Amino acid sequence: MAQMTMAKALNEGLRRALEDNPKVLLMGEDIGKLGGVFRVTDGLQKDFGEDRIIDSPLAESGIVGTSVGLAIRGYRPVCEIQFDGFVYPAFDQIVSQVAKLHSRSHGVYKMALVIRIPFGGQIGAIEHHSESPEGYFAHTAGLRVVSPTTPNDAYWMIQQAITHDDPIIFCEPKCRYWEKGEVDLDRPPRGLFDAHVAREGTDVTVIAYGPSVRTAVRAAEAASAEGRSVEVIDARSIAPLDFPPMVASVQKTGRLVVVAEAPANASVASEVVARLTEECFYSLRAPALRVTGYHTPYPPSRVEEEYLPNIDRILDAVDRVMGFES
Amino acid sequence: MSEIPLVQLLTPEGERVTHPEYESTLGKDEIFGMHRDMTIIRRLCNEATSLQRQGQLALWAPLQGQEAAQIGAGRALQPMDFTFPSYREHGIAWCRGIPPEKWLRLFRAVDHGGWDPQQYRHSVPTIVIGNQALNAVGYAMGVQRDGAEEATMVFFGDGATSEGDVNEAFVWAGSFDAPIVFFVQNNQWAISEPTVRQSKIPLYRRAEGFGFPGIRVDGNDVLAVHEVTKRALAHAREGGGPTLIEAFTYRMGAHTTSDDPTRYRIDADVEVWKHRDPLERVKAYLVRQHQVPASEFDATSAEADALAAKLREDVLAMDSPDPLSIFEYAYADVHPLIEEGKRDMIELGVGGGAH
Amino acid sequence: MWKVAVGDTIALNQPLIDIETAKATVELPSPYAGVVTKLHGEVGDVVPVGAPLIEIEVGGGDAAPLATPAEPATTPQGEGRTAVLVGYGVATNEGAPTRHRRRGGAVAPAPAPPAPITSTAPALAPRSTPPVRLYAKQHGIDIESIQGTGRDGLITRSDVERVVSGGTPRARSAPAAPTGVTRFVGHELAPWESGPKEERIPVRGVLRSMADAMVQSAFSAPHAAAWVRVDASKSVELLSALKSRPSMANVRLSPLTLVALALCDAARHFPGINSRFDDAAGEVIVRRSVALGIAADTPRGLIVPNIKDADTLDLVGMADALTTLVEKARAGTTTPNEMIGTTLTITNVGPFGIDGAMPILPPGTSAIVAVGQIAKAPWVVDDEVVVRHVVEIAMSFDHRCIDGALASSVLAHVGRFLNDPAPALLAR
Ligand SMILES: Cc1ncc(C[n+]2csc(CCOP(=O)(O)OP(=O)(O)O)c2C)c(N)n1
Ligand SMILES: [Mg+2]
């Protein structure tokens, strides 16, 4: 057991993956000497050299596109996209090659690469530094999308992602980077694609992922002070979604609220609602609600608190599902 | 500086030198005016850095070291020309007449833009590296189709030249002879990465491969930058097609207030560039050549201080926007999800003064 | 390191101190001009974000404390924030989270006491469909109180209808009330003295099904009957011997278990009994698998769930299947699937203290066996009158396909089984 921040846990996880397999290499902007703008790769270039920790030219399509080639050659590249809002130049490579080459080559090419993206808001940043692009990737067959929310998850999930043979979009909730937590250096808490009950409750199921998990847990704490028992599930894996624990929870509570920063329209949150409505139709006592960012571009961060799912908005949804029949 | 040819008209010591192709026709008043511009934007930039340190801005991207590149280029523009900035072009914004507090709206995180781009003929900032290059070429193609005598100029950094968008912009501009000037401020760094990571050859030579001229200018020499840019803009207006200008300069400060340059560069390099300061050489030249008295420079400093104080005042008075404003410009036409979002916010008691 | 001292007059933006933050060492410029009145913290101290750092007396004499900038110093919002290298940083969110606003602007009420933490396995939410929930709500009925009779306990519209039409809402998972004499067609009747002179009960739900089934059966299949009295003493002995075995502790054995096994065994020997007369198709369908229907008296009335493939079950299997069937019927969790496809039926009238009955066939079947009570009775053995445990087994059958000979053979087979169950059980 060790106490560390999520940024440090990712750093340690990457370090261990680099030690475990010489084919693992890192590529991204400013990840070498600077150690990444969030210092997630701090010290790695010093220890593993410039051939394995590659400061790339400033081009995201280049980072991902050349990583595809490295993967074909048997390497296991871990790409860093500096911020969520800068992944779009790489979109074509991710959707057209990363997601499809395994299929197109009949499995001959393993697209064993990880694309790390710090994502989500709540950091008071300027434009393009707070977005939630996970839905685009979750929508794309051939990709898997995961998001750790604790240092322990971060430490293990990055290693599990690197050893996995499918391409994984690894979404890191940047607002949690500096939060400390226990890391068990010996044993992973659970599988890479397993959801997890972050807080138990009996009245309402709240499903969240990434930066929204902590908001949801805090809302659950506030709800408890109001006499309501809210269960919070951390999806952890965004694609595929781990439905069985979610189904069990909704069958128990009969009420569902899904929380995400990404706008609801055609989103992961909508997928969660659709599937759980299908699977738990008879158990639902109220329509499932989504609490998400509004359908606007991510706003100037001085109003992000009002744009994002906050405690008030989650509690409001809890009120509405609880009050539906009464 | 380097063996690579570069246009220089004023040495770091403030000596006027000649260049076979470029000669500055600027008189004392105009040069003094440029010194004033540079003094003011440096001062405003320092004030913004302080404001960020004091928690009044989310971020600041300082331009120290790049004043000559921006003022030289900005003062070469004609009123009807249109410019596309990235995020560090405070000097260009100044030349376009945009009030300083408007540049800071973005950095206070109360706005993504901050000014009316049509009014000032200066587009809203672009943070995603290189995006605006293609947009600018498209704008220039529109000018071309209108038969208008206007030039378009787009600004980006050395790092940006690696992005697909910038290279595609070069292809388009070359292919269509677009009336555009690509102005790359090679400040030697893309955050922590030196320019050599982006290009093995000098950036200006990229142009040749795309079929239009490229030129390197001493980016710390306001006279040279002004002259080279003026020529390139005229060339564009006259239908001569695109030019790539590489202003060879140096980012004296951190990339932004979030950056820690001590992790990746040594002080000695910075020291070298301190001797090439863009303001000092102009001042030396004005004192020596035109006997400008110290009092005039003092007056400029006082003016800059006053503007900085005004900027501070304006920034502190800048409130968070009404949360409901996020719905205002997402679409041009009514949209059901926008109406729904607004209703939701109002019912929740947020915005519209309830805040 | 402090660059100013107490008593110093300082200017706006004058460097005060170098602060090491998450990103770098930065110089903090003074946000005020004035005189330094107090410095908080020594070199090397780790100062929490938002803690006061310096006090400066500004013009009018008020000291302005300046909080630690964590990059930023203090956000314009004035809340504590943790730096994450870009932007204003993350709100620190210290303290208990609470609600600030409520939809419609209502004031947040005083917090109710925390919900009790339950350690027991949580109950599942009652399963139903939105229209049924709405229907219940419109009639002021708490859906949670209704016992679902649909698949896996699904609360159906007819479950709600039954409650609407006067039935008492039944608590979920409450033990079924013992069937009393006051119950009639699934209704709790008021006592003679207090009830209305005349009471009308709508024919719906289970009652409707029962009525329809009986009419259909009685007026399509010509019923004939036969019966036999059996000395079941050895069955009774066997059952009590088995019950005392530790390995059978959790198995609920009863005479019905043996009758069920006996009837299935008879069907194996005489498959004709396990048939169905399909008038429309002009065929008699003989089935080689027994779906053994058990007529069950439930709080809602008579239902006949069945045990699929009952012919394949052994003693314990049959006992367990019967137990489950009865429990589900009582709890109202019998699934529709368990109600269809019956091929042979047993109705157990013994518990009512009755010797025998002539039941009506459930539609789609050709034979139903009624089991009476097992009671001690005089019995002639070797011309001696002795006391024996005697039971009467009666059978109604569809005389269109089953004749007296077949019916008699089946009854005799069942009788022999009960008379001496051990060899028959061993033979299976
Ligand atoms: C597409 C994209 N990728 C990454 C970034 C993050 N980023 C912001 S500035 C910068 C370096 C830019 O360097 P350069 O183009 O030389 O401009 P400079 O900052 O030196 O003016 C990077 C990588 C971004 N804004 N956009
Ligand atoms: Mg640069």
Side-chain angles (χ1 to χ4, degrees):
Chain A
M1 283 287 179
Q3 269 272 334
M4 60 181 92
T5 63
M6 183 187 281
K8 182 66 180 160
L10 286 164
N11 179 277
E12 292 293 331
L14 288 167
R15 176 177 290 280
R16 199 155 148 183
L18 285 156
E19 283 164 359
D20 288 352
N21 185 346
K23 292 290 185 189
V24 173
L25 47 81
L26 274 50
M27 174 141 59
E29 294 155 11
D30 307 290
I31 67 168
K33 277 203 181 117
L34 185 64
V37 294
F38 291 107
R39 311 290 182 261
V40 167
T41 54
D42 194 17
L44 297 180
Q45 192 180 63
K46 191 165 71 52
D47 296 342
F48 296 96
E50 293 187 10
D51 271 357
R52 295 186 69 194
I53 313 297
I54 304 170
D55 258 336
S56 76
L58 209 179
E60 290 72 15
S61 185
I63 295 171
V64 175
T66 56
S67 289
V68 167
L70 283 158
I72 292 173
R73 182 68 190 179
Y75 284 87
R76 300 185 91 90
V78 182
C79 309
E80 176 176 304
I81 300 295
Q82 204 162 77
F83 281 91
D84 35 58
F86 308 141
V87 69
Y88 308 114
F91 197 77
D92 173 43
Q93 283 292 337
I94 296 175
V95 170
S96 305
Q97 299 295 86
V98 174
K100 299 190 174 97
L101 267 176
H102 184 264
S103 163
R104 197 183 300 139
S105 70
H106 289 212
V108 174
Y109 292 163
K110 293 265 178 300
M111 281 297 107
L113 56 92
V114 175
I115 301 173
R116 294 181 38 240
I117 309 176
F119 85 126
Q122 308 182 35
I123 64 164
I126 58 170
E127 203 186 0
H128 311 292
H129 294 72
S130 307
E131 300 185 2
S132 299
E134 67 279 6
Y136 301 119
F137 305 117
H139 183 72
T140 303
L143 302 177
R144 295 170 186 263
V145 187
V146 300
S147 179
T149 58
T150 65
N152 199 37
D153 272 356
Y155 177 74
W156 287 106
M157 287 170 78
I158 189 64
Q159 294 181 63
Q160 289 167 326
I162 291 170
T163 51
H164 201 276
D165 278 345
D166 283 330
I168 291 174
I169 310 294
F170 197 86
C171 297
E172 301 168 4
K174 64 175 93 76
C175 63
R176 300 277 91 91
Y177 272 149
W178 263 254
E179 223 166 75
K180 282 203 170 128
E182 287 286 333
V183 173
D184 180 345
L185 298 169
D186 301 321
R187 207 164 24 89
R190 46 185 60 81
L192 180 57
F193 306 107
D194 295 346
H196 159 63
V197 177
R199 184 188 159 98
E200 288 192 14
T202 52
D203 292 337
V204 181
T205 300
V206 173
I207 297 174
Y209 59 85
S212 300
V213 173
R214 194 170 90 131
T215 318
V217 168
R218 286 176 59 78
E221 286 165 11
S224 153
E226 295 182 3
R228 277 171 180 167
S229 169
V230 172
E231 178 146 303
V232 179
I233 294 185
D234 175 1
R236 291 173 90 254
S237 175
I238 294 166
L241 285 155
D242 181 15
F243 284 112
M246 302 180 188
V247 168
S249 179
V250 173
Q251 281 178 344
K252 179 175 76 175
T253 63
R255 300 180 183 93
L256 173 62
V257 172
V258 184
V259 183
E261 292 193 357
N265 199 44
S267 67
V268 173
S270 298
E271 179 60 21
V272 172
V273 167
R275 278 295 293 269
L276 290 179
T277 302
E278 204 174 315
E279 309 243 347
C280 307
F281 184 68
Y282 293 129
S283 301
L284 283 170
R285 305 169 196 224
L289 298 182
R290 290 158 295 169
V291 183
T292 67
Y294 289 105
H295 194 73
T296 70
Y298 196 93
S301 64
R302 287 287 290 268
V303 281
E304 71 182 340
E305 166 74 8
E306 281 77 17
Y307 164 86
L308 290 172
N310 54 28
I311 292 180
D312 284 352
R313 291 182 61 202
I314 295 171
L315 289 180
D316 173 64
V318 168
D319 285 350
R320 286 192 285 153
V321 293
M322 291 292 290
F324 185 70
E325 275 185 334
S326 54
Chain B
M1 193 170 287
S2 59
E3 318 83 61
I4 295 153
L6 120 172
V7 180
Q8 189 184 64
L9 300 176
L10 192 62
T11 68
E13 293 72 34
E15 306 284 352
R16 286 284 272 107
V17 288
T18 55
H19 187 277
E21 283 173 56
Y22 293 92
E23 186 47 79
S24 175
T25 54
L26 295 179
K28 179 208 143 198
D29 288 351
E30 286 152 312
I31 298 174
F32 183 82
M34 286 190 189
H35 183 266
R36 170 182 168 271
D37 289 336
M38 293 195 289
T39 305
I40 288 170
I41 57 166
R42 178 171 287 188
R43 178 67 188 86
L44 293 178
C45 185
N46 285 338
E47 192 64 27
T49 299
S50 291
L51 283 164
Q52 197 283 335
R53 292 277 177 254
Q54 291 156 0
Q56 297 299 336
L57 299 178
L59 187 79
W60 178 246
L63 56 50
Q64 261 89 350
Q66 299 174 225
E67 293 90 347
Q70 295 195 13
I71 296 303
R75 288 299 175 209
L77 288 159
Q78 295 285 315
M80 283 314 290
D81 294 341
F82 203 92
T83 43
F84 285 84
S86 45
Y87 44 82
R88 206 188 293 281
E89 275 66 68
H90 320 308
I92 306 298
W94 168 256
C95 294
R96 302 254 79 182
I98 304 174
E101 73 272 12
K102 296 196 187 229
W103 326 334
L104 267 67
R105 292 185 63 77
L106 163 75
F107 295 97
R108 193 164 162 88
V110 297
D111 209 327
H112 291 326
W115 58 83
D116 175 344
Q118 288 293 3
Q119 180 189 347
Y120 297 106
R121 317 283 304 151
H122 186 58
S123 193
V124 282
T126 302
I127 293 171
V128 180
I129 301 297
N131 275 181
Q132 76 279 16
L134 277 166
N135 310 150
V137 172
Y139 185 91
M141 288 168 67
V143 170
Q144 186 180 43
R145 274 148 188 73
D146 290 344
E149 253 188 57
E150 297 167 24
T152 304
M153 181 148 65
V154 57
F155 296 85
F156 46 84
D158 44 293
T161 61
S162 291
E163 286 284 6
D165 277 12
V166 170
N167 286 277
E168 290 173 25
F170 290 163
V171 170
W172 251 252
S175 183
F176 295 102
D177 285 322
I180 188 162
V181 176
F182 296 106
F183 193 93
V184 52
Q185 292 170 79
N186 179 358
N187 62 6
Q188 314 301 328
W189 297 97
I191 309 188
S192 73
E193 300 188 1
T195 307
V196 292
R197 173 56 75 199
Q198 318 295 343
S199 186
K200 286 285 184 189
I201 59 159
L203 293 174
Y204 77 95
R205 284 181 52 197
R206 291 265 184 93
E208 193 192 341
F210 290 98
F212 53 88
I215 184 163
R216 177 180 277 192
V217 61
D218 178 351
N220 287 16
D221 172 357
V222 76
L223 299 186
V225 173
H226 183 261
E227 195 52 38
V228 167
T229 310
K230 204 172 76 179
R231 213 64 92 74
L233 288 167
H235 183 69
R237 278 186 221 106
E238 289 155 10
T243 306
L244 169 64
I245 299 174
E246 177 189 4
F248 200 76
T249 178
Y250 199 80
R251 197 194 77 207
M252 295 300 287
H255 168 68
T256 66
T257 45
S258 290
D259 182 34
D260 177 8
T262 62
R263 284 178 161 258
Y264 54 81
R265 72 183 188 188
I266 51 172
D267 287 349
D269 284 353
V270 184
E271 284 306 315
V272 169
W273 280 90
K274 266 190 191 158
H275 297 296
R276 301 174 184 160
D277 186 74
L279 277 78
E280 288 307 317
R281 70 177 76 179
V282 180
K283 188 174 177 183
Y285 169 74
L286 284 169
V287 170
R288 189 157 357 128
Q289 201 66 32
H290 297 286
Q291 290 80 42
V292 175
S295 60
E296 289 198 26
F297 293 111
D298 291 347
T300 301
S301 293
E303 188 191 0
D305 285 344
L307 282 168
K310 163 93 166 49
L311 178 61
R312 167 171 292 266
E313 212 172 284
D314 290 342
V315 166
L316 296 185
M318 225 177 258
D319 274 341
S320 294
D322 181 341
L324 281 172
S325 67
I326 71 172
F327 298 108
E328 220 164 326
Y329 300 115
Y331 293 92
D333 198 359
V334 283
H335 189 290
L337 291 177
I338 294 295
E339 297 310 311
E340 191 183 292
K342 258 196 252 181
R343 246 192 335 270
D344 189 62
M345 226 187 224
I346 290 168
E347 280 176 23
L348 281 165
V350 178
H355 191 42
Chain C
M1 202 189 46
W2 284 107
K3 299 175 178 202
V4 294
V6 173
D8 284 3
T9 300
I10 54 168
L12 177 70
N13 290 338
Q14 182 173 332
L16 296 175
I17 186 172
D18 286 332
I19 295 178
E20 207 173 305
T21 68
K23 34 176 129 131
T25 300
V26 297
E27 216 174 51
L28 173 63
S30 175
Y32 305 104
V35 178
V36 179
T37 57
K38 190 162 185 187
L39 299 179
H40 299 256
E42 297 292 323
V43 172
D45 281 3
V46 176
V47 194
V49 178
L53 205 56
I54 185 171
E55 289 176 29
I56 303 165
E57 199 173 286
V58 192
D62 15 304
L66 167 61
T68 322
E71 118 198 330
T74 49
T75 70
Q77 289 97 325
E79 56 189 270
R81 288 193 165 231
T82 311
V84 282
L85 287 165
V86 288
Y88 288 117
V90 187
T92 44
N93 284 337
E94 248 113 47
T98 48
R99 186 200 290 264
H100 298 292
R101 292 197 193 84
R102 214 174 257 281
R103 189 172 292 270
V107 185
I117 313 283
T118 48
S119 55
T120 52
L124 295 185
R127 300 170 68 256
S128 188
T129 58
V132 171
R133 289 176 189 280
L134 178 64
Y135 180 66
K137 190 176 154 194
Q138 283 168 342
H139 287 82
I141 291 163
D142 179 7
I143 193 111
E144 315 251 337
S145 69
I146 300 178
Q147 189 67 59
T149 60
R151 183 168 56 85
D152 297 338
L154 184 73
I155 300 162
T156 62
R157 175 170 283 266
S158 57
D159 290 332
V160 181
E161 275 171 353
R162 177 173 40 72
V163 177
V164 170
S165 66
T168 322
R170 314 249 345 139
R172 268 159 47 78
S173 69
T179 311
V181 285
T182 55
R183 286 195 63 76
F184 175 57
V185 291
H187 286 258
E188 204 68 42
L189 290 188
W192 188 260
E193 295 79 16
S194 59
K197 275 255 149 35
E198 185 180 292
E199 186 173 348
R200 284 167 178 265
I201 297 165
V203 178
R204 284 187 186 147
V206 175
L207 175 58
R208 176 89 263 164
S209 323
M210 178 173 86
D212 292 348
M214 293 303 124
V215 168
Q216 185 203 338
S217 176
F219 295 103
S220 59
H223 285 55
W227 58 94
V228 63
R229 272 161 64 82
V230 182
D231 170 7
S233 301
K234 283 187 179 169
S235 286
V236 173
E237 283 162 25
L238 179 72
L239 288 174
S240 68
L242 289 174
K243 276 181 188 167
S244 63
R245 290 204 183 173
S247 65
M248 302 295 268
N250 294 322
V251 182
R252 285 179 48 193
L253 293 169
S254 77
L256 180 63
T257 320
L258 295 177
V259 176
L261 288 167
L263 187 57
C264 289
D265 199 49
R268 290 168 154 271
H269 284 82
F270 307 99
I273 199 72
N274 198 35
S275 65
R276 173 175 159 229
F277 190 91
D278 187 344
D279 209 1
E283 290 167 346
V284 174
I285 303 154
V286 178
R287 292 157 302 195
R288 285 185 184 74
S289 165
V290 178
L292 185 64
I294 304 292
D297 180 52
T298 74
R300 291 165 309 284
L302 174 70
I303 63 168
V304 187
N306 61 48
I307 299 168
K308 300 280 187 300
D309 300 323
D311 53 303
T312 64
L313 298 175
D314 62 6
L315 180 74
V316 174
M318 185 66 83
D320 288 347
L322 284 167
T323 306
T324 309
L325 177 141
V326 171
E327 276 173 1
K328 284 177 91 170
R330 294 243 166 87
T333 55
T334 304
T335 66
N337 189 39
E338 288 164 341
M339 303 269 285
I340 59 174
T342 300
T343 62
L344 269 178
T345 309
I346 297 175
T347 175
N348 191 12
V349 298
F352 301 111
I354 299 301
D355 288 332
M358 202 203 88
I360 294 178
L361 293 162
T365 67
S366 296
I368 176 169
V369 167
V371 186
Q373 64 173 333
I374 298 186
K376 284 184 182 172
W379 196 259
V380 177
V381 180
D382 299 336
D383 290 343
E384 294 274 346
V385 175
V386 292
V387 177
R388 289 287 173 167
H389 288 277
V390 177
V391 64
E392 188 172 303
I393 308 290
M395 184 164 74
S396 299
F397 52 93
D398 185 345
H399 216 322
R400 287 175 299 182
C401 53
I402 294 171
D403 58 16
L406 174 57
S408 304
S409 304
V410 169
L411 268 179
H413 190 94
V414 170
R416 273 197 303 279
F417 190 109
L418 295 176
N419 183 251
D420 193 5
L425 283 172
L426 290 174
R428 286 176 59 89

